[in-house]
Amino acid sequence: MAKISKRFWFQLHGWFSLPVWVLFCFICLTGTISVISHELTWLTNSHARASNPDNLPEKSKQSLINSLTSEYPTADVMSVVSYEPYLVNAIIFTDTDKPYATAYVNQYTGEIQAINQTTSFIEFMRTLHGWLYFPWQAGYSVGYYLVSAMALVIFGALATGLIIYKNFWRAFTQPKIRFGQGSKTLLKDLHTVAGVWSIWFMAIMSLTGLWYLTQAIMWHNEIDIEEHAPIVSEAQLPSSKNTQAIDLNSAITITKNQFSEFTPTYIMLPEHNRGMYSIMGAGDTVFYDGYSYSTSVNPWTGEIAASKSPETMSTLQTLSHIADPLHYGTIGGIWTKVIWFLFGVILTGMSVTGFMMYSKKLVKVKKPSSVTLNNTAETN
């Protein structure tokens, strides 16, 4: 069997990133910003800050909705979203003059701090990074495919890089960055050291990205990962129009009785008389996202029609709910976010230095040598 040369692996390593360099760099950059999008929102948008100088307890979700409907009596509330404790709750609603709006409601004071009818910074960055704002149609988005396919680029660059750079582990204990030997040497050293220190990060990004690609293929082929939300059966509908449905607070209490240490993060209210409260949240698990615990509560009977938790998830559901915390670094709060942000910056920089190195090599190959020029001159 013929031995594959190091030159081949080097060329393959370069071509894993060179043809899609701009797209890959852009996706790395937007992903890096997305990691700290909550913190950037708090820093730049005063209306989104959940100030609590008097150390007040958090109000119930129903009272927050009541605060909104007291100012906007015709509002039709669709959902309530909770972010970090230092960010306000977002109540999504429609109104006669607002086809789609989000109220920023302080969960400690009940004050409506702003009404937003545009995309928030958090949503904008996640959408830009997730599927490049390409439209969704028939269960798929070309942008989602493009972004998730970058996992193959990361994996290929990581694998070929480890083949090219022998004894790479020395960069952990003896990192070598030579500043006085020209730009080519400096770029190579920066790229090598950054790559070695980012092995674990690139592995996580490629594995989670491969899951997103698999997930995209499943969505495209109408293979369900999550079960469809149930609806109230006709037999369970109230016989009298005067019958009152249970309120949101009761539905949340029922869910908390089902799961210990439950914190609601996303709540969808019933859209019609056969709809249910869809309540999602986080528990005491570290590696699962904030939607890994959920219930569908019948608003007429107070029964839990369906529920989900890490203990009852299928393998595909488990992968779906652990991918985001690993991809965005939310497993350990602000500290892991900072680590993911720093290595996101490094990965973005590696795409730039890799392109610069390979482009310099291509220019050198294409540039005619002085011997060739002299021979051409003598011939003429």
Side-chain angles (χ1 to χ4, degrees), residues 58 60 79 93 121 156 174 190 193 229 241 261-262 339 376:
E58 187 172 338
S60 68
S79 56
F93 69 100
F121 177 73
Q174 300 174 358
L190 288 173
V193 172
K241 294 183 178 180
E261 304 297 328
F262 176 81
I339 294 172
T376 303

Side-chain angles (χ1 to χ4, degrees), residues 12-220:
L12 185 61
H13 181 74
W15 278 100
F16 263 113
S17 57
L18 188 60
V20 292
W21 173 76
V22 175
L23 178 61
F24 180 72
C25 183
F26 181 78
I27 291 172
C28 288
L29 179 61
T30 54
T32 300
I33 296 173
S34 295
V35 168
I36 57 169
S37 58
H38 290 183
E39 288 71 26
L40 289 176
T41 296
W42 181 89
L43 187 65
T44 60
N45 187 352
S46 59
H47 296 303
R49 298 172 190 164
S51 302
N52 188 18
D54 298 326
N55 199 26
L56 298 171
E58 187 172 338
K59 292 181 176 292
S60 68
K61 304 302 181 185
Q62 186 64 58
S63 65
L64 300 183
I65 294 175
N66 294 341
S67 296
L68 175 65
T69 54
S70 65
E71 291 196 27
Y72 299 91
T74 57
D76 182 14
V77 176
M78 296 184 290
S79 56
V80 182
V81 184
S82 302
Y83 297 103
E84 311 287 351
Y86 50 80
L87 292 177
V88 295
N89 280 198
I91 299 180
I92 302 169
F93 69 100
T94 61
D95 208 342
T96 53
D97 59 340
K98 299 176 181 64
Y100 185 88
T102 302
Y104 291 172
V105 185
N106 189 315
Q107 61 268 35
Y108 305 110
T109 64
E111 178 188 358
I112 301 174
Q113 299 183 177
I115 299 293
N116 182 24
Q117 297 188 65
T118 60
T119 303
S120 69
F121 177 73
I122 295 172
E123 294 171 326
F124 173 77
M125 290 309 307
R126 289 295 177 97
T127 302
L128 187 62
H129 175 66
W131 53 90
L132 305 173
Y133 265 93
F134 275 74
W136 284 82
Q137 53 188 357
Y140 77 96
S141 168
V142 173
Y144 195 92
Y145 272 120
L146 287 173
V147 173
S148 55
M150 291 300 106
L152 300 174
V153 174
I154 299 177
F155 181 79
L158 175 60
T160 54
L162 292 177
I163 293 173
I164 292 169
Y165 300 108
K166 305 296 182 182
N167 303 324
F168 62 87
W169 53 86
R170 292 177 181 173
F172 288 114
T173 57
Q174 300 174 358
K176 181 174 61 176
I177 301 178
R178 293 163 289 185
F179 291 95
Q181 298 186 24
S183 60
K184 181 180 178 181
T185 301
L186 178 60
L187 286 174
K188 178 182 179 297
D189 289 346
L190 288 173
H191 191 79
T192 303
V193 172
V196 171
W197 281 84
S198 301
I199 289 174
W200 67 272
F201 185 74
M202 294 174 67
I204 291 176
M205 293 303 105
S206 61
L207 290 174
T208 53
L210 287 172
W211 163 249
Y212 294 140
L213 181 59
T214 303
Q215 188 173 245
I217 295 172
M218 294 177 67
W219 288 339
H220 197 169

Side-chain angles (χ1 to χ4, degrees), residues 252-260:
I252 294 175
T253 299
I254 292 170
T255 303
K256 288 184 175 181
N257 291 335
Q258 176 78 3
F259 305 121
S260 60

